Amino acid sequence: MNGIFPIPAEFDASGVFETCRVRAGRVLRVEEHLRRLRASLKTAGISFWEEPAARREMARAAKELKEGYIRVAVRRQGLPRILIHRSPASPYSKKRAFGIAIRTVPSRWPAGETGWAQVKSSERLSGVLARMEAPEAMEALRLGPHGYLTEGTVSNLFFVRDGELVTAPCWAGVLEGVTRSRVIRAARKLRLPVRKTPFTRHDLFNAEEAFLTNVLMGILPVRQVDGRRIGKKTPGPVTRKLMKELK
């Protein structure tokens, strides 16, 4: 969140956004990002959306940046505006080799049936409050209404146990992340069983491997959760295979 990927003040206005990877002057997986952006706009009730103009601006920004990340936001305040923020590199790059320590926090995330978890919104109060409860951690994991783990404040969560790749289902209050979807497709390509099911901290503590995903992180290994070591080696063998597949 703040300090990890600084956001200009104008991005704090009510609205929705997408963060996209730029490589060789092109926005990667642009159709996936725009499809999710359209869905977020509809749920957020923002009807004014000039997609052709946004596509042109995204392409122009990517061409100028060449390598890095852009964030496109459509805000509600006044006449909806398309805003582009550029970042030349991921702040997580140096963490991939050794993994990170993360914490779960007591703040509860709304249930998936509300629908709001599927909106990638710039109104980040719940995430900011969650991060305040774990200021020393690079990411905070949130619990759903029934005590099941859902996701991080800016990431999706996966773990490996008994040869299966496990992640929470979207109906539990999890954003359908673009990188999350890529990981699931890559796992199936590698013939790795994927299970979308609610799980507890006990399940995660006893995992053989764990990692977080988003566009900025890619796949980011987790070595420790709430002081418990995850697995024997970070990144683990399954995580390494998936990281290689997503390059």
Side-chain angles (χ1 to χ4, degrees):
M1 299 293 296
N2 293 341
I4 295 296
F5 189 59
I7 301 175
E10 60 264 28
F11 276 78
D12 291 337
S14 172
V16 300
F17 72 95
E18 285 289 321
T19 302
C20 310
R21 178 78 166 90
V22 173
R23 181 177 295 162
R26 296 181 59 193
V27 180
L28 301 185
R29 290 167 289 281
V30 64
E31 297 303 330
E32 293 178 61
H33 285 290
L34 288 174
R35 182 168 59 249
R36 188 171 65 176
L37 184 59
R38 286 193 294 268
S40 293
L41 285 164
K42 191 163 188 178
T43 299
I46 301 175
S47 57
F48 181 86
W49 165 238
E50 292 184 346
E51 187 169 317
R55 284 177 178 272
R56 289 193 297 271
E57 181 61 19
M58 290 170 71
R60 185 184 67 81
K63 188 175 180 180
E64 291 177 356
L65 184 61
K66 291 186 173 52
E67 294 286 334
Y69 302 83
I70 63 170
R71 178 168 285 166
V72 55
V74 184
R75 71 178 189 180
R76 181 195 299 275
Q77 186 174 346
L79 187 66
R81 292 175 54 201
I82 300 166
L83 304 162
I84 300 286
H85 176 60
R86 302 167 180 82
S87 177
S90 169
Y92 302 98
S93 299
K94 295 180 180 179
K95 303 291 183 180
R96 292 196 185 103
F98 306 103
I100 63 170
I102 58 179
R103 283 207 27 214
T104 56
V105 295
S107 290
R108 298 298 177 97
W109 186 230
E113 61 264 23
T114 66
W116 307 131
Q118 293 305 307
V119 178
K120 199 167 177 66
S121 170
S122 55
E123 296 179 23
R124 307 179 313 279
L125 181 59
S126 62
V128 169
L129 293 176
R131 288 300 298 272
M132 288 175 65
E133 294 172 2
E136 77 290 351
M138 197 165 185
E139 176 63 305
L141 298 179
R142 296 186 286 204
L143 299 169
H146 303 291
Y148 292 110
L149 282 166
T150 57
E151 60 185 0
T153 61
V154 295
S155 63
N156 290 121
L157 170 66
F158 289 85
F159 70 89
V160 178
R161 190 173 181 188
D162 297 329
E164 285 188 318
L165 183 64
V166 181
T167 190
C170 290
W171 58 257
V174 172
L175 179 70
E176 192 171 358
V178 170
T179 307
R180 174 183 181 271
S181 297
R182 291 184 65 214
V183 166
I184 292 171
R185 290 196 297 269
R188 287 171 175 160
K189 180 180 176 182
L190 295 170
R191 297 186 178 181
L192 175 68
V194 179
R195 190 152 59 100
K196 300 176 185 178
T197 185
F199 57 88
T200 65
R201 294 201 307 161
H202 171 79
D203 297 320
L204 181 58
F205 292 157
N206 288 279
E208 295 144 22
E209 303 175 41
F211 58 86
L212 304 174
T213 65
N214 71 19
V215 169
L216 285 170
M217 294 173 178
I219 292 177
L220 184 61
V222 172
R223 69 173 186 273
Q224 187 183 94
V225 180
D226 296 340
R228 281 80 162 177
R229 173 75 190 190
I230 303 298
K232 297 179 180 178
K233 188 176 181 180
T234 306
V238 172
T239 305
R240 286 182 181 276
K241 287 181 182 179
L242 290 168
M243 291 171 77
K244 184 177 180 180
E245 190 69 25
L246 261 65
K247 277 188 177 179

